[in-house]
Structure formats: C-alpha cells, structure tokens
C-alpha cells in the first residue's frame, strides 16, 4: 500500500470517524436536552395549575376552574389548556390542540393515575401535550388536565440541524482530505519520486545522476546525503579503477620483464656460442689484409668484413649484457648531474646536428640512490634515440614528484612511435631504424637497467609532438615539487 493511502486509512479516516461520532452525540445530546427541558416546563405548569383545578372540581366552582385555566396562558408558549371528566368529555378548555388526544387516551390516564405526555402534530403545528390526572384533596380523580405547549424553533429544527451538520461535516472532511492529498502529493510524493528516480537511474548504471536540492528541509538534507553518498561511491569507483589500471599496467610490465629476461638468457647463450667464430673470422680477415699479393679492392672488402664483424661483436657484447644477472651497486646521486653527464657524452653529436636539450627539473634537484654509470647510460640511450629520430630537433628532460614517486620524462618533437609499436619498443632486436643503423637493443638495455633499479619505464605520446619515455622511481624526498627551472 502506498504511503498516502496508509496515512488516509490509519490517520484521517479514524480521526474523521471520531469527529463524526462526537458531533452526532453532541447534536443528539442537544436535542434530548431541549426535549427534556420542554417536558419539564410543561409538567411543572401542569402540576402548578392542577392543584387549583382539583379544588375547583371538588367544589364545583366554574369560575375558579376558568381562572385557573386562564393562568396557564401566562406561561411562555402555552397554546392550549383543557379539562376533561373521567370519561373523556371536555368540561372546559381554551386555546389550540383539543383534538391531540381522544377519550381512550384520557380514560387510560384516569385508570393509571399517572401523568403522561407526548409529541403530537395538529394542523401543521407541533406540540408537546401533557395529560395530568386532577385529584381532590381526598385523592379522588375527578378529571384530567391537558396542557399544550408549542415547540420552539430549535425544537422543530433539531433534526434538520443534525442533517445539515452531517452534510457540512462530510463536505469539510472531503475538503480536508483533498487539501491533505494535494499537500502530500506536492510536498512529499513528488520529492520522493524524484529521489526514487535518481536511485533507479543509478541502479541501472548512470553514476552521474544527482538529486536536486529543493523542497522541504528534510528532503534537502536527504538529497544532500544521497548526493554525498553518490560522490563517495564515485570517488571509490575512480580509485578502484585507477588501481585496476595500475595493476594491469604492472602486470603488463611484469610480463614484459619476464619476456625480456628469457630473451636475454637466450640471446646471451647465442652470443657466447658465436663469439669464438667471430674472433676467428676477424683474425683471418686481418691476416689476409696484410698480404702484399692482394690488391687494393680486395683489401677494402676485407676491411668491410672486419668492420661488420666488429659491429657483430658489439651486438654480441650487448646481448651478453642483456642476459646477465646484475648486482647493482647504488649510491646517492643528483639527478641534474646524471643528466649533465649524459649530455656531455652527446655534446659532439648535438653540436654537429644542431639539436637542443631542454632540462626542466625541480629546485633543488631530486636525489636518487642508483648506479650512476648505468643511469647515465639510460639517459644517453634515450637522448641518442631522440637525436636519430629528428636531427636538429628539440629534446626535453623534466621531472616531478607525485604521490611519493619521482617521474622523469625524456621527450622529443620527432615523428613519434605508432600505437602498434608501443608494446614492442622494449623487445630485443625491434627497431624502426633503417637496416644497418640500429641493433634494436638500446631500449631493451634501458628496460633492463630500470628494472634492476626497481623502477618502471613506459612510452607515451609527447606534448612536443614526438615520442616520450617516462621513468618512475620511489622518491627519496616526498616534499612537494617547486617550480621547474628550464636550463
């Protein structure tokens, strides 16, 4: 059952019933009181003149009888007075209502010896008529007195008043119910329906819904509480989603690290096996180049062989480094010093191709507990790749501390990395450079070094328009970062 109907059934209906019963009882009590008063007045008048009439009948004095009857009319609204003998025959009478009782009614009063009274109607007039036996001082009933009193206005209209009262009560009750129904619908039901609609839409998945802050104070408080609960749920959902994304990313990086470790072990085994043959090839080519019987063209080809062998040796050395387990010896280092050392290693190439490196670090520069030589190699590899991607372009190295982590970004304004290649850039031997210009092991080395230090590395699209690499470490100083100072 709806709340509105419950209130009507359990509160309004019992209240109206109580009021109706009370009103009817009050009207009935008023009617009974008026009738009782009317009867008492007639009985008092009847007894008052009945004594004198009894003496007049005993002495048979018509003048006294007439005088006593005339005295009855001095009372208010007495319209008739009659004296009958014991057989019901009229002896003397004045006024209206003689025919209200017949002879049998009068004889019955004589036989009973007790007064009686009744409401009677005659010629559209309503009377209350009392019949009183007239006794002599000796107790003999010599006749019956009939006194007729005309009903007053309120006596005539008590029934009508009752009907009018019931009708007015019914109309008033209907009006009250209508007003309560309208007020309930406007101030209770509609706000509840709005809140219910918001909750239903939230249940279906629309977590952006919020309740309107309007209506009575209680509903405003309820709306504020509901909105606060939804905001808290949204915050929790966002936090859970962020944690899930972070866990997925960590899981991806863990699989990547495991994959790289397996590839590194395989590559190291292959490099070890081909290391000796490469040494033999290089030595034999060197001996052939020393012979005087060969021409310059053959000697140039042998030099090309030795050059390619040396490149293979470098790749083999990188492969062995990739698969080797490292015990990182760490020390406290200043980030700006590590970046400056990497820029110094690339200084000649930077000047040659006209590229610029922008360094934007917090002040003071963050400190890291790392292997300085290996981290310098990381920055060197990343900036070298940026130089090759866009000779003469712009490189930016920045850092900031967020939520207890140090985030270092190396970005360029080159062509960037395609979405399909982002998940493969750290795989060994994967490269987007032309054949002969890269081994595809530089970023694998970067990933291995950062992983050895307990950090993470990822790739993203730089705001400069090219590729960006983000290195993440646990921050040693969790204080908020200050404004970056471009170099």
């Amino acid at each position: 059952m709806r709340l509105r109907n419950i209130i009507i059934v359990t509160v309004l209906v019992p209240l109206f019933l109580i009021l109706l019963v009370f009103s009817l009882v009050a009207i009935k009590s008023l009617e009974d009181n008026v009738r009782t008063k009317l009867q008492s007045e007639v009985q008092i008048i009847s007894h008052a003149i009945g004594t004198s009439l009894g003496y007049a009948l005993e002495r048979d004095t018509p003048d006294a009888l007439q005088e006593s009857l005339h005295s009855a009319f001095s009372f208010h609204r007495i319209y008739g007075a009659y004296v009958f003998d014991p057989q019901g025959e009229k002896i003397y009478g004045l006024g209206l209502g003689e025919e209200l009782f017949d002879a049998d009614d009068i004889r019955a009063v004589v036989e009973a010896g007790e007064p009686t009274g009744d409401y009677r109607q005659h010629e559209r007039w309503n009377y209350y008529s009392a019949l009183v036996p007239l006794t002599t001082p000796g107790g003999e009933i010599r006749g019956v007195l009939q006194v007729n009193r005309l009903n007053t206005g309120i006596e005539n209209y008590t029934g009508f008043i009752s009907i009018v009262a019931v009708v007015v009560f019914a109309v008033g009750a209907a009006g009250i119910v209508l007003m309560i129904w309208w007020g309930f619908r406007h101030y209770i039901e509609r706000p509840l329906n709005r809140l219910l609609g918001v909750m239903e839409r939230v249940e279906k998945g629309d977590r952006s819904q919020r309740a309107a802050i309007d209506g009575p104070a209680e509903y405003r408080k309820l709306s504020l509480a509901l909105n606060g609960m939804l905001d808290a749920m949204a915050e929790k959902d966002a936090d859970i989603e962020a944690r899930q994304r972070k866990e997925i990313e960590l899981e991806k990086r863990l699989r990547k690290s495991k994959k790289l470790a397996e590839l590194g072990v395989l590559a190291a085994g292959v490099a070890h096996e081909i290391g000796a043959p490469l040494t033999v090839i290089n030595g034999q080519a060197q001996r052939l180049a020393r012979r005087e019987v060969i021409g310059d063209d053959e000697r140039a080809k042998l030099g090309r062989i030795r050059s390619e062998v040396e490149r293979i040796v470098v790749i083999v050395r990188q492969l062995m480094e990739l698969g080797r387990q490292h015990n990182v010896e760490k020390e406290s280092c200043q980030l700006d010093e590590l970046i400056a050392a990497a820029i110094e290693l690339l200084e000649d190439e930077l000047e040659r191709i006209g590229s610029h490196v922008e360094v934007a670090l917090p002040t003071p520069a963050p400190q890291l507990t790392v292997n300085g030589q290996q981290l310098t190699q990381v920055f060197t590899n990343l900036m070298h790749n940026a130089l090759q991607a866009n000779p003469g372009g712009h490189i930016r190295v920045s850092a900031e501390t967020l939520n207890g982590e140090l985030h270092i970004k190396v970005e360029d304004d080159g062509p960037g990395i395609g979405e399909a290649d982002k998940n493969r850039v750290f795989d060994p031997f994967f490269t987007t450079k032309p054949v002969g210009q890269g081994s595809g092991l530089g970023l694998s080395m970067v990933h291995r070094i950062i992983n050895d230090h307990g950090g993470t590395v990822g790739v993203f699209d730089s705001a400069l328009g090219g590729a960006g690499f983000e290195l993440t470490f646990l921050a040693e100083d969790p204080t908020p970062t200050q404004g970056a100072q471009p170099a």
Side-chain angles (χ1 to χ4, degrees):
M1 185 180 291
R2 303 184 66 177
L3 179 60
R4 176 182 61 197
N5 299 334
I6 292 175
I7 293 177
I8 292 176
V9 171
T10 60
V11 179
L12 295 182
V13 171
L15 178 61
F16 289 151
L17 288 176
I18 292 172
L19 291 176
L20 178 60
V21 171
F22 178 80
S23 300
L24 293 176
V25 169
I27 294 173
K28 181 62 177 176
S29 177
L30 174 62
E31 182 178 358
D32 292 343
N33 186 46
V34 171
R35 289 179 180 272
T36 301
K37 183 178 180 182
L38 175 62
Q39 295 171 9
S40 298
E41 290 179 354
V42 173
Q43 290 173 3
I44 291 172
I45 295 170
S46 300
H47 283 89
I49 66 174
T51 303
S52 61
L53 288 174
Y55 281 107
L57 289 174
E58 182 181 19
R59 296 174 182 176
D60 194 18
T61 53
D63 293 337
L65 182 64
Q66 294 178 11
E67 183 178 354
S68 296
L69 285 178
H70 279 284
S71 66
F73 290 91
S74 63
F75 294 96
H76 182 59
R77 301 187 72 82
I78 297 300
Y79 276 68
Y82 298 90
V83 176
F84 299 91
D85 62 14
Q87 286 71 37
E89 296 295 332
K90 184 177 74 169
I91 299 174
Y92 185 78
L94 297 173
L96 303 176
E98 176 184 352
E99 298 85 357
L100 294 178
F101 295 95
D102 55 21
D104 292 334
D105 295 327
I106 295 173
R107 286 194 293 270
V109 172
V110 172
E111 292 175 0
E114 296 293 335
T116 186
D118 197 5
Y119 288 91
R120 297 295 175 94
Q121 185 174 4
H122 179 66
E123 295 181 354
R124 297 180 300 173
W125 296 99
N126 292 320
Y127 300 91
Y128 177 76
S129 182
L131 295 177
V132 180
L134 299 174
T135 60
T136 64
E140 180 185 2
I141 299 177
R142 299 291 297 273
V144 176
L145 171 64
Q146 177 184 343
V147 178
N148 302 327
R149 186 180 187 276
L150 187 65
N151 286 351
T152 60
I154 190 170
E155 294 160 359
N156 291 327
Y157 293 103
T158 50
F160 177 74
I161 291 173
S162 300
I163 296 174
V164 171
V166 172
V167 172
V168 171
F169 179 84
V171 173
I176 292 174
V177 170
L178 181 62
M179 292 177 62
I180 292 176
W181 176 84
W182 181 85
F184 182 90
R185 180 175 178 82
H186 186 75
Y187 293 106
I188 298 178
E189 190 174 21
R190 286 184 179 177
L192 278 179
N193 288 336
R194 287 197 295 267
L195 290 177
L196 181 61
V198 171
M199 297 175 70
E200 288 177 346
R201 289 190 289 273
V202 171
E203 182 184 7
K204 293 179 181 178
D206 187 3
R207 299 294 182 87
S208 63
Q209 289 292 324
R210 294 295 182 271
I213 311 300
D214 57 7
E218 291 79 4
Y219 287 99
R220 290 199 297 270
K221 291 180 180 179
L222 185 60
S223 299
L224 287 172
L226 177 62
N227 291 345
M229 181 183 69
L230 293 177
D231 291 340
M233 290 174 58
E235 185 177 350
K236 291 294 183 182
D237 290 344
D239 183 62
I240 292 173
E241 186 177 355
R243 289 177 181 270
Q244 289 177 342
R245 287 198 301 267
K246 190 171 183 180
E247 289 176 359
I248 293 173
E249 183 64 26
L250 289 175
E251 185 178 356
K252 288 182 180 179
R253 292 179 180 179
L254 180 61
R255 289 200 300 265
K256 177 70 71 175
S257 298
K258 185 177 180 180
K259 178 181 177 181
L260 290 177
E262 293 173 352
L263 289 174
V265 173
L266 176 63
V270 174
H272 179 74
E273 293 298 325
I274 67 175
L278 287 176
T279 303
V280 174
I281 293 174
N282 188 36
Q284 293 299 323
Q286 185 177 6
R287 288 181 181 181
L288 288 175
R290 291 175 181 173
R291 291 184 178 182
E292 296 181 356
V293 294
I294 63 175
D296 293 338
D297 184 56
E298 288 78 3
R299 189 174 284 105
K301 291 180 179 180
L302 289 173
R304 175 69 182 276
I305 292 173
R306 291 190 61 196
S307 175
E308 293 301 322
V309 167
E310 289 294 336
R311 195 166 75 88
I312 294 174
V313 170
V314 172
I315 294 174
V316 169
R317 189 179 301 115
Q318 291 178 343
L319 286 173
M320 295 182 68
E321 287 290 328
L322 186 64
R324 188 178 301 164
Q325 296 294 328
H326 294 270
N327 294 322
V328 181
E329 296 181 359
K330 300 179 181 180
E331 58 181 352
S332 181
C333 301
Q334 291 288 128
L335 179 60
D336 56 344
E337 294 179 359
L338 299 177
I339 296 174
I343 294 175
E344 185 177 356
L345 293 175
L346 298 171
E347 186 175 2
D348 292 340
E349 188 173 0
L350 288 170
E351 293 180 356
R352 179 173 56 83
I353 62 178
S355 294
H356 172 66
V357 179
E358 173 192 358
V359 181
L361 301 179
T363 303
Q367 286 190 337
L368 292 172
T369 302
V370 293
N371 185 298
Q373 182 179 359
Q374 292 184 7
L375 208 60
T376 299
Q377 182 182 354
V378 167
F379 291 132
T380 303
N381 285 347
L382 293 177
M383 286 189 284
H384 186 265
N385 286 344
L387 292 175
Q388 291 184 332
N390 186 27
H394 179 65
I395 302 173
R396 181 170 64 196
V397 183
S398 60
E400 62 178 345
T401 302
L402 295 174
N403 300 323
E405 293 181 335
L406 177 62
H407 298 264
I408 306 171
K409 297 179 182 179
V410 180
E411 307 170 71
D412 63 63
D413 58 354
I417 300 174
E419 290 295 328
D421 296 333
K422 286 182 180 179
N423 292 328
R424 304 171 57 197
V425 292
F426 298 108
D427 292 346
F429 304 110
F430 176 79
T431 180
T432 57
K433 299 175 183 178
V435 177
Q437 294 188 14
S439 63
L441 294 174
L443 291 179
S444 300
M445 292 293 296
V446 169
H447 187 279
R448 193 267 303 165
I449 292 173
I450 298 300
N451 190 62
D452 289 344
H453 283 76
T456 59
V457 58
V459 62
F460 64 95
D461 293 328
S462 171
L464 298 179
F469 291 87
E470 182 176 12
L471 315 178
T472 304
F473 300 91
L474 289 177
E476 296 187 6
D477 183 8
T479 56
T481 59
Q482 302 179 13
Q485 300 294 330

